[in-house]
Amino acid sequence: MTTNKDQEPLSLKDLVITSVTETFDDDDKKGVKDGLPRSVPSTVPSSPALPVPSSIPVTLTRSFQITLSEGDAVISTDCFVQLFSDRVFMGISQMKGRIGNYLLCQAEPSQVKPKTFEYEISNLLGAREDPLLSVFARRIAEVLVQFLPPMESLTLILGISLQNNEMGRDPEVFRSTVDIMIKLYVEAMNR
């Protein structure tokens, strides 16, 4: 623990970085003693442990209960969105907030057909044999590119864990989850 001279704890706001700037100037010998450069102390209030506010991504996290129309079945779903300057990171979990798979979906403007996109999806971590995970990534990316300026590309990292039963893979749950993710994205963009 860092304390001041009165032994009171200091916070990060109280920290001051002191540095010494050495000046080497052959033309100006004032302040030079025995051939050594003069030192100019400078004190700059700063806190190296705190990031610049513009570098912090916008993050939204929500929990939802998705109810199937044909019964009383409820799927608990945790979702989050983080917006970085160069990519979007999203998470969908039907497994109490745990993520088991990470996919990278890149959408690039097509060179052949203007106003369309080419999608490349790769599995970074997790089960590679589940095609539904790629369908989630592709569908979310297809909607997100509608928010991009012309000729911009999209990099989406999707963390996802679905229940391994019919309810977790129901088409109605799929549509609801994609809608939720898009609403979270729009909310994050407006912050």
Side-chain angles (χ1 to χ4, degrees), residues 2 32 43-44 46 69 76 139-140 163 167 172 177 188:
T2 305
V32 176
T43 304
V44 180
S46 176
S69 61
S76 294
R139 183 62 192 137
I140 291 170
Q163 289 183 2
M167 289 189 321
E172 188 177 344
T177 304

Side-chain angles (χ1 to χ4, degrees), residues 23-65:
T23 306
F24 296 92
D25 189 358
D26 291 337
D27 296 336
D28 183 13
K29 298 292 183 187
K30 292 185 227 172
V32 176
K33 187 174 183 181
D34 298 326
L36 298 175
R38 63 177 174 231
S39 295
V40 181
S42 63
T43 304
V44 180
S46 176
S47 180
L50 299 177
V52 177
S54 63
S55 69
I56 300 172
V58 174
T59 304
L60 292 178
T61 303
R62 304 280 190 274
S63 293
F64 298 93
Q65 301 291 323

Side-chain angles (χ1 to χ4, degrees), residues 47-153:
S47 180
L50 299 177
V52 177
S54 63
S55 69
I56 300 172
V58 174
T59 304
L60 292 178
T61 303
R62 304 280 190 274
S63 293
F64 298 93
Q65 301 291 323
I66 299 174
T67 306
L68 297 176
S69 61
E70 51 189 57
D72 297 336
V74 175
I75 307 281
S76 294
T77 306
D78 298 308
C79 302
F80 70 84
V81 172
Q82 281 189 314
L83 302 179
F84 294 88
S85 62
D86 62 342
R87 65 195 66 218
V88 177
F89 181 39
M90 293 183 160
I92 301 169
S93 176
Q94 297 174 352
M95 309 293 283
K96 299 180 182 175
R98 287 174 275 185
I99 301 289
N101 301 286
Y102 286 92
L103 293 100
L104 174 65
C105 181
Q106 295 177 304
E108 299 283 334
S110 174
Q111 300 295 325
V112 178
K113 290 183 178 179
K115 299 183 183 179
T116 62
F117 285 84
E118 296 174 359
Y119 298 89
E120 182 181 338
I121 301 170
S122 54
N123 191 314
L124 302 175
L125 294 169
R128 298 181 187 284
E129 64 276 351
D130 190 352
L132 184 58
L133 305 179
S134 295
V135 173
F136 262 97
R138 168 74 184 249
R139 183 62 192 137
I140 291 170
E142 285 174 342
V143 178
L144 292 183
V145 297
Q146 297 172 14
F147 295 98
L148 295 176
M151 301 308 291
E152 285 284 323
S153 60

Side-chain angles (χ1 to χ4, degrees), residues 13 16-17 45 53 73 97 119 141 164 178 184:
K13 289 188 269 180
V16 174
I17 296 176
Y119 298 89
N164 209 8
V178 170
L184 279 177

